[in-house]
Amino acid sequence: MSQSGKGRLNYRCPSCFMRDLDIDMFYDKDRDEYYCLRCQYTGNEKDVLEKNEMARFRYRNMLKRITTFD
Ligand SMILES: [Zn+2]
């Protein structure tokens, strides 16, 4: 079912995304983890997905807060 080698999907690094950087992570199949070359973030798929959700949520709130100025 699951292929080894490259990650099934390209995941964006949640840590970089918080800083407004859109960085694709690499997949380490030996450790079954994704990692980011830019900020040293590592995490398994579940962790990445959770953090990405959080990042999106926060980011949206930030945008929302900015729009309330007017
Ligand atoms: Zn990163």
Side-chain angles (χ1 to χ4, degrees):
M1 208 173 87
S2 68
Q3 311 259 351
S4 56
K6 284 184 80 176
R8 277 155 285 173
L9 293 165
N10 279 338
Y11 288 121
R12 166 194 288 145
C13 173
S15 182
C16 288
F17 185 53
M18 295 277 213
R19 299 184 185 88
D20 217 1
L21 296 167
D22 199 353
I23 309 291
D24 278 343
M25 292 193 295
F26 292 84
Y27 179 62
D28 182 340
K29 68 175 173 182
D30 293 330
R31 295 167 64 188
D32 190 27
E33 278 182 350
Y34 290 84
Y35 62 97
C36 175
L37 288 178
R38 196 180 172 105
C39 72
Q40 318 295 318
Y41 169 83
T42 61
N44 62 26
E45 186 172 6
K46 184 172 171 287
D47 194 49
V48 171
L49 288 173
E50 276 173 12
K51 293 224 166 41
N52 259 325
E53 271 307 305
M54 251 159 53
R56 250 198 298 262
F57 180 73
R58 262 215 217 167
Y59 195 63
R60 219 185 283 140
N61 276 359
M62 268 161 54
L63 289 178
K64 209 198 282 176
R65 217 188 312 172
I66 288 164
T67 60
T68 58
F69 281 123
D70 54 44

Short mmCIF file of all heavy atoms in Angstrom, two decimals, residues 1 6-7 12 21 25 29 31 33 36-40 47-48 51 55 65 68:
data_model
loop_
_atom_site.label_atom_id
_atom_site.label_comp_id
_atom_site.label_asym_id
_atom_site.label_seq_id
_atom_site.Cartn_x
_atom_site.Cartn_y
_atom_site.Cartn_z
N MET A 1 0.82 -1.20 0.00
CA MET A 1 0.00 0.00 0.00
C MET A 1 0.86 1.25 0.00
O MET A 1 0.91 1.97 -0.97
CB MET A 1 -0.93 -0.01 1.19
CG MET A 1 -2.22 0.76 0.94
SD MET A 1 -3.38 0.55 2.29
CE MET A 1 -2.84 1.87 3.37
N LYS A 6 10.34 8.30 -1.65
CA LYS A 6 9.88 9.67 -1.44
C LYS A 6 8.60 9.68 -0.62
O LYS A 6 7.84 8.72 -0.63
CB LYS A 6 9.60 10.35 -2.78
CG LYS A 6 10.87 10.76 -3.49
CD LYS A 6 10.55 11.50 -4.75
CE LYS A 6 10.18 12.94 -4.48
NZ LYS A 6 9.95 13.68 -5.73
N GLY A 7 8.39 10.74 0.08
CA GLY A 7 7.16 10.87 0.83
C GLY A 7 5.99 10.85 -0.12
O GLY A 7 6.11 11.24 -1.27
N ARG A 12 4.37 20.89 3.68
CA ARG A 12 4.97 22.17 3.96
C ARG A 12 5.46 22.14 5.40
O ARG A 12 4.82 21.56 6.28
CB ARG A 12 3.88 23.22 3.77
CG ARG A 12 4.15 24.57 4.30
CD ARG A 12 2.88 25.37 4.33
NE ARG A 12 2.46 25.74 2.98
CZ ARG A 12 1.20 25.81 2.59
NH1 ARG A 12 0.24 25.51 3.42
NH2 ARG A 12 0.90 26.19 1.38
N LEU A 21 7.09 31.39 5.42
CA LEU A 21 7.93 30.76 4.41
C LEU A 21 7.28 29.45 3.99
O LEU A 21 6.84 28.67 4.83
CB LEU A 21 9.32 30.45 4.97
CG LEU A 21 10.15 31.65 5.38
CD1 LEU A 21 11.34 31.20 6.19
CD2 LEU A 21 10.61 32.42 4.16
N MET A 25 9.17 19.90 2.93
CA MET A 25 10.04 19.10 3.75
C MET A 25 10.50 17.85 3.00
O MET A 25 9.90 17.43 2.03
CB MET A 25 9.31 18.71 5.03
CG MET A 25 9.07 19.90 5.92
SD MET A 25 8.56 19.39 7.54
CE MET A 25 7.02 18.66 7.13
N LYS A 29 12.97 8.02 5.27
CA LYS A 29 12.20 6.77 5.35
C LYS A 29 12.72 5.84 6.43
O LYS A 29 12.00 4.98 6.92
CB LYS A 29 12.16 6.06 4.00
CG LYS A 29 13.47 5.51 3.53
CD LYS A 29 13.27 4.73 2.23
CE LYS A 29 14.64 4.33 1.69
NZ LYS A 29 14.59 3.62 0.44
N ARG A 31 13.61 6.74 9.43
CA ARG A 31 13.01 7.18 10.69
C ARG A 31 11.52 7.44 10.55
O ARG A 31 10.86 7.75 11.54
CB ARG A 31 13.73 8.43 11.19
CG ARG A 31 15.19 8.16 11.53
CD ARG A 31 15.96 9.44 11.71
NE ARG A 31 15.46 10.22 12.85
CZ ARG A 31 15.85 11.44 13.13
NH1 ARG A 31 16.73 12.03 12.36
NH2 ARG A 31 15.37 12.07 14.16
N GLU A 33 10.07 9.96 9.23
CA GLU A 33 9.84 11.33 9.67
C GLU A 33 10.10 12.29 8.52
O GLU A 33 10.88 12.01 7.63
CB GLU A 33 10.82 11.70 10.80
CG GLU A 33 10.39 11.23 12.15
CD GLU A 33 11.37 11.68 13.21
OE1 GLU A 33 12.46 12.19 12.89
OE2 GLU A 33 11.03 11.50 14.39
N CYS A 36 12.89 19.36 7.86
CA CYS A 36 13.07 20.61 7.13
C CYS A 36 14.54 20.99 7.19
O CYS A 36 15.15 20.98 8.25
CB CYS A 36 12.21 21.69 7.78
SG CYS A 36 12.45 23.31 7.06
N LEU A 37 15.08 21.31 6.04
CA LEU A 37 16.49 21.67 6.00
C LEU A 37 16.73 23.09 6.51
O LEU A 37 17.82 23.46 6.88
CB LEU A 37 17.02 21.60 4.56
CG LEU A 37 17.19 20.20 3.98
CD1 LEU A 37 17.66 20.30 2.55
CD2 LEU A 37 18.17 19.40 4.82
N ARG A 38 15.69 23.85 6.52
CA ARG A 38 15.87 25.24 6.83
C ARG A 38 15.85 25.54 8.32
O ARG A 38 16.63 26.32 8.82
CB ARG A 38 14.77 26.04 6.14
CG ARG A 38 15.10 27.49 6.09
CD ARG A 38 14.01 28.28 5.39
NE ARG A 38 14.31 29.68 5.55
CZ ARG A 38 14.79 30.44 4.57
NH1 ARG A 38 14.99 29.94 3.39
NH2 ARG A 38 15.06 31.69 4.80
N CYS A 39 14.94 24.89 9.04
CA CYS A 39 14.78 25.24 10.45
C CYS A 39 14.99 24.05 11.39
O CYS A 39 14.73 24.15 12.56
CB CYS A 39 13.39 25.83 10.68
SG CYS A 39 12.08 24.61 10.59
N GLN A 40 15.41 22.91 10.88
CA GLN A 40 15.70 21.73 11.71
C GLN A 40 14.45 21.08 12.29
O GLN A 40 14.55 20.21 13.14
CB GLN A 40 16.65 22.06 12.88
CG GLN A 40 17.81 22.97 12.54
CD GLN A 40 18.76 22.34 11.55
OE1 GLN A 40 19.09 21.18 11.66
NE2 GLN A 40 19.16 23.10 10.55
N ASP A 47 2.31 14.41 13.22
CA ASP A 47 2.79 15.63 13.84
C ASP A 47 2.79 16.80 12.85
O ASP A 47 2.35 17.90 13.16
CB ASP A 47 4.20 15.37 14.36
CG ASP A 47 4.66 16.45 15.31
OD1 ASP A 47 3.89 16.78 16.24
OD2 ASP A 47 5.77 16.97 15.13
N VAL A 48 3.27 16.50 11.66
CA VAL A 48 3.31 17.53 10.62
C VAL A 48 1.91 18.04 10.29
O VAL A 48 1.68 19.24 10.21
CB VAL A 48 3.98 16.96 9.35
CG1 VAL A 48 3.84 17.93 8.19
CG2 VAL A 48 5.44 16.67 9.61
N LYS A 51 0.53 20.14 13.17
CA LYS A 51 1.18 21.44 13.27
C LYS A 51 0.79 22.34 12.10
O LYS A 51 0.66 23.54 12.26
CB LYS A 51 2.69 21.26 13.34
CG LYS A 51 3.10 20.59 14.61
CD LYS A 51 4.30 21.27 15.21
CE LYS A 51 4.56 20.85 16.65
NZ LYS A 51 4.37 19.42 16.91
N ALA A 55 -0.79 25.93 12.38
CA ALA A 55 -0.19 27.06 11.70
C ALA A 55 -1.22 27.78 10.85
O ALA A 55 -1.30 29.01 10.85
CB ALA A 55 0.97 26.59 10.82
N ARG A 65 -7.04 39.43 12.57
CA ARG A 65 -6.77 40.51 13.49
C ARG A 65 -6.34 41.78 12.75
O ARG A 65 -6.70 42.87 13.11
CB ARG A 65 -5.68 40.10 14.48
CG ARG A 65 -6.01 40.69 15.80
CD ARG A 65 -4.94 40.53 16.84
NE ARG A 65 -4.41 39.19 16.94
CZ ARG A 65 -3.35 38.92 17.69
NH1 ARG A 65 -2.74 39.86 18.37
NH2 ARG A 65 -2.87 37.72 17.77
N THR A 68 -9.16 43.74 11.34
CA THR A 68 -10.06 44.45 12.25
C THR A 68 -9.60 45.89 12.50
O THR A 68 -10.28 46.64 13.17
CB THR A 68 -10.19 43.74 13.61
OG1 THR A 68 -8.90 43.63 14.18
CG2 THR A 68 -10.84 42.40 13.47
#
